[in-house]
Amino acid sequence: MKILVLNFFPTILPPNTGGVLRYFHIYHELSKFYDITLLSQKYTPEVEVLNYSDTFREIKIPTDDVQHQVDENLFNEGIGPRFSTHAALSCALLDGPPPTFLQYYKQFYKKCDIVIHDSPFMLKYDINFGLDDKPRIYNSHNHESEFAKHVWYGKRSREYINHVTHLEKSLVNNAALVFATSEEDKKSFRKAFNVDRDKINLAPNGINPGEWNQRVNNQSVNSKVTALFIGSMHQPNIEIVEFIVSQLADKCENIDFIVAGQCGSGFSDFSIRNIKILGEVNQKQKLQLFSEADIAINPAFFGTGTKIKTLEFLSAGIPLVSTDIGVKGMLLEQGTHYFHANHQNFALILNKISKDRPLLETIALNGQRYINHNFSWEAIAKKLKKQLDTYIKK
């Protein structure tokens, strides 16, 4: 069976952010059972054709001048963070796919059996949607229209949210299957779009358990504890960095906070003695950070779906302190798999546990075992295959 996947952002190898990790790994695993083509958009000017295997390829197609102008208009309106908002919304606002994208879409559409959308933003790029008998599947990363309500702003934000809500409703209602990353998102889709519960299935985010370096114990009696946060330039991640800078650092004098990823880009001018802003890190640097950090933190304020950073922290064996939002959809037990905190007592909890090495190790081991057993990409893809095969045979 041949599957065509449409997405507004491309993969990066090695994958380095939550969305990219899901996009690459879920289809890499599914390509062991099906022939899969990813059609992605990117902002660099050349078409890239990447053959990951005989049954897995990606075509990265550049945006054109029309879309660049839409993107520039969104930037001038101040709708939201450029990298996490404009690329998606500019696709949704176009009347149809750019000519180069349309060319490749037509080529692979003819041969495919199923079309999968990873978001509602490129629905109009699928020019045969609603006009043919090929099944559509929505493999959601978030409940996007609900998420937009929390991260888009500006005078036209309500108009744009309504537009994306309409696209997502059409996709959900007309798709043969919808995959959500958490039970919360499943309920959210049903409530928003009045859709049959049997149509929405679970496809959580995952991890590769074997990729982590062995944990290193760098702590001496007098050394300070390190607390790690990592994230892309995504508004919820930026809010977390603001929380670390404005509240946690001052209240946790004996903890050194390490912020990795583009989420810290806007804070590089800050000079706070116990915060280190690293900026974007490569895979080798990330693996080293994960092996050396004493504690991981995810004081998330908002977000839909399961947080890949949380899965990765736990899979790597780092003891985690997190809010409810940070562990959403994983059925983790506080005090067993992770340390629970809210924003009011986060610093208190962090200070309390930071020196209890035996407790940290016990919680970390419990969390690691649980996540690696239940959330590997391989296991997730096998469950998806069962659902896809069941539908296809009907």
Side-chain angles (χ1 to χ4, degrees):
M1 183 176 70
K2 294 182 182 296
I3 296 176
L4 175 62
V5 183
L6 308 183
N7 196 16
F8 68 91
F9 61 83
T11 63
I12 299 171
L13 292 182
N16 64 348
T17 64
V20 175
L21 284 159
R22 179 180 178 87
Y23 187 37
F24 179 80
H25 286 300
I26 218 164
Y27 294 115
H28 175 255
E29 293 296 333
L30 284 175
S31 71
K32 297 174 182 178
F33 312 109
Y34 313 116
D35 184 279
I36 295 182
T37 300
L38 309 179
L39 284 191
S40 315
Q41 275 206 317
K42 62 169 193 164
Y43 276 85
T44 49
E46 315 84 11
V47 173
E48 290 182 67
V49 179
L50 301 174
N51 291 295
Y52 302 120
S53 72
D54 291 340
T55 57
F56 187 33
R57 67 203 62 81
E58 180 178 18
I59 319 296
K60 299 182 181 182
I61 303 167
T63 53
D64 65 2
D65 291 341
V66 175
Q67 190 165 359
H68 295 165
Q69 185 59 57
V70 174
D71 178 83
E72 188 64 27
N73 293 341
L74 292 171
F75 177 77
N76 292 333
E77 291 174 15
I79 182 66
R82 187 156 203 167
F83 292 101
S84 60
T85 298
H86 297 193
L89 184 52
S90 64
C91 293
L93 294 177
L94 295 179
D95 293 331
T100 304
F101 196 100
L102 182 59
Q103 172 190 337
Y104 283 95
Y105 167 87
K106 288 180 176 179
Q107 175 186 339
F108 288 98
Y109 169 81
K110 292 178 182 178
K111 305 172 186 177
C112 78
D113 301 292
I114 287 177
V115 179
I116 297 181
H117 288 264
D118 267 35
S119 79
F121 300 111
M122 296 182 77
L123 188 59
K124 287 187 285 188
Y125 284 41
D126 184 3
I127 61 171
N128 295 297
F129 181 80
L131 302 175
D132 60 16
D133 59 357
K134 291 186 180 182
R136 297 313 196 269
I137 292 173
Y138 180 19
N139 179 27
S140 69
H141 291 225
N142 298 288
H143 181 172
E144 296 289 358
S145 53
E146 185 64 29
F147 183 76
K149 295 175 184 177
H150 296 264
V151 297
W152 292 359
Y153 39 85
K155 62 182 181 180
R156 299 186 67 184
S157 60
R158 176 53 53 188
E159 173 189 342
Y160 296 144
I161 290 167
N162 289 341
H163 180 64
V164 171
T165 300
H166 173 76
L167 292 176
E168 191 162 40
K169 180 178 181 180
S170 180
L171 180 55
V172 168
N173 288 339
N174 290 282
L177 290 171
V178 176
F179 291 114
T181 63
S182 68
E183 290 292 339
E184 289 85 352
D185 273 12
K186 287 175 65 174
K187 293 176 183 177
S188 184
F189 279 132
R190 291 201 303 269
K191 180 179 179 181
F193 303 129
N194 194 29
V195 62
D196 187 340
R197 69 173 58 244
D198 294 334
K199 190 180 194 177
I200 304 179
N201 299 270
L202 195 62
N205 290 318
I207 39 80
N208 288 318
E211 72 175 315
W212 310 110
N213 294 342
Q214 184 174 350
R215 295 274 295 152
V216 176
N217 182 3
N218 290 325
Q219 251 196 327
S220 63
V221 174
N222 297 317
S223 66
K224 293 178 72 174
V225 171
T226 58
L228 173 67
F229 178 76
I230 188 170
S232 62
M233 192 180 291
H234 193 40
Q235 188 61 32
N237 295 331
I238 295 170
E239 291 177 4
I240 289 171
V241 181
E242 290 175 346
F243 177 68
I244 295 170
V245 169
S246 65
Q247 296 193 44
L248 286 189
D250 184 55
K251 296 176 181 177
C252 302
E253 296 181 354
N254 295 316
I255 296 176
D256 283 334
F257 293 91
I258 299 172
V259 177
Q262 292 184 344
C263 60
S265 299
F267 302 86
S268 56
D269 293 336
F270 284 80
S271 179
I272 300 176
R273 63 175 183 80
N274 61 335
I275 297 181
K276 188 173 184 179
I277 305 290
L278 299 182
E280 190 168 5
V281 295
N282 60 34
Q283 183 69 3
K284 182 178 179 181
Q285 292 168 322
K286 175 181 172 180
L287 292 176
Q288 183 175 350
L289 285 171
F290 274 52
S291 70
E292 293 176 351
D294 297 308
I295 297 171
I297 60 172
N298 192 5
F301 287 82
F302 171 77
T304 63
T306 50
K307 305 295 180 290
I308 288 184
K309 64 175 63 63
T310 294
L311 293 167
E312 290 191 327
F313 288 149
L314 293 172
S315 176
I318 315 174
L320 172 71
V321 184
S322 177
T323 57
D324 284 333
I325 297 295
V327 297
K328 180 188 285 189
M330 301 176 203
L331 301 180
L332 295 172
E333 296 179 12
Q334 55 180 291
T336 298
H337 302 123
Y338 80 106
F339 299 98
H340 177 262
N342 56 45
H343 293 105
Q344 288 70 41
N345 68 5
F346 209 98
L348 178 68
I349 298 296
L350 200 51
N351 284 324
K352 182 178 179 180
I353 67 166
S354 61
K355 290 296 184 180
D356 193 337
R357 175 61 55 178
L359 178 61
L360 291 173
E361 291 178 351
T362 298
I363 297 295
L365 183 59
N366 290 340
Q368 183 180 46
R369 287 172 173 168
Y370 175 82
I371 291 298
N372 286 349
H373 178 72
N374 292 286
F375 288 91
S376 74
W377 289 118
E378 181 180 12
I380 292 166
K382 287 180 179 178
K383 291 179 181 178
L384 263 64
K385 179 184 183 298
K386 288 182 180 179
Q387 295 171 77
L388 290 171
D389 285 349
T390 300
Y391 172 78
I392 292 163
K393 292 173 184 177
K394 286 183 178 180

